[in-house]
Amino acid sequence: MPDAIKRFFAPVPESVGQARDFVVRTLATWNLEGRADDVRLCVSEPATNALAHGTRRGRGFHVALSAEDGIVRVEVHDSSPRRPRLSRPTSDDVSGRGLHILAILSDDWGVEDRGLAGKAVWSRFKTAPAPQGAPC
């Protein structure tokens, strides 16, 4: 079982891409790449929301990853206590689908209050090690 890992990201738009790269690299290191595309998208959405709505001016966000018993857990921590909520976007809306993506791609997700420290949006993924090369 790999050790949990956490990384801070600055309050700049480039941090969303860096957060995606961080989770993909970490999953590869852990040999848990089977759901990497889903995990990548499901870190991107709350990271984007953290920058747009969840962090106080000048504050970034944290991404935490852990893996245990065939489950990968991803958390995006920000400093706002305001909980995200599912919206009902129309076909003309250009935003409002992030939590729907989380709900569709992850096996479970939710929001945990962290008191004065804000909140964490988490998602879980059932996963297995990446397949090894086929025997000759």
Side-chain angles (χ1 to χ4, degrees), residues 23-106:
V23 298
V24 169
R25 280 193 315 272
T26 301
L27 292 174
T29 299
W30 291 349
N31 195 31
L32 295 173
E33 298 168 273
R35 302 275 309 270
D37 289 339
D38 292 344
V39 175
R40 183 177 184 268
L41 281 172
C42 289
V43 79
S44 185
E45 293 302 328
T48 299
N49 287 343
L51 288 178
H53 311 291
T55 56
R56 295 184 180 119
R57 187 168 185 81
R59 294 201 180 171
F61 62 94
H62 284 91
V63 174
L65 281 163
S66 60
E68 187 172 358
D69 298 328
I71 301 289
V72 169
R73 180 179 167 111
V74 180
E75 301 173 8
V76 176
H77 299 239
D78 67 48
S79 57
S80 173
R82 190 174 71 182
R83 295 175 69 90
R85 56 187 172 83
L86 285 170
S87 61
R88 297 186 187 277
T90 67
S91 59
D92 295 331
D93 289 334
V94 295
S95 64
R97 294 173 181 82
L99 294 179
H100 293 282
I101 291 170
L102 221 63
I104 290 168
L105 295 179
S106 69

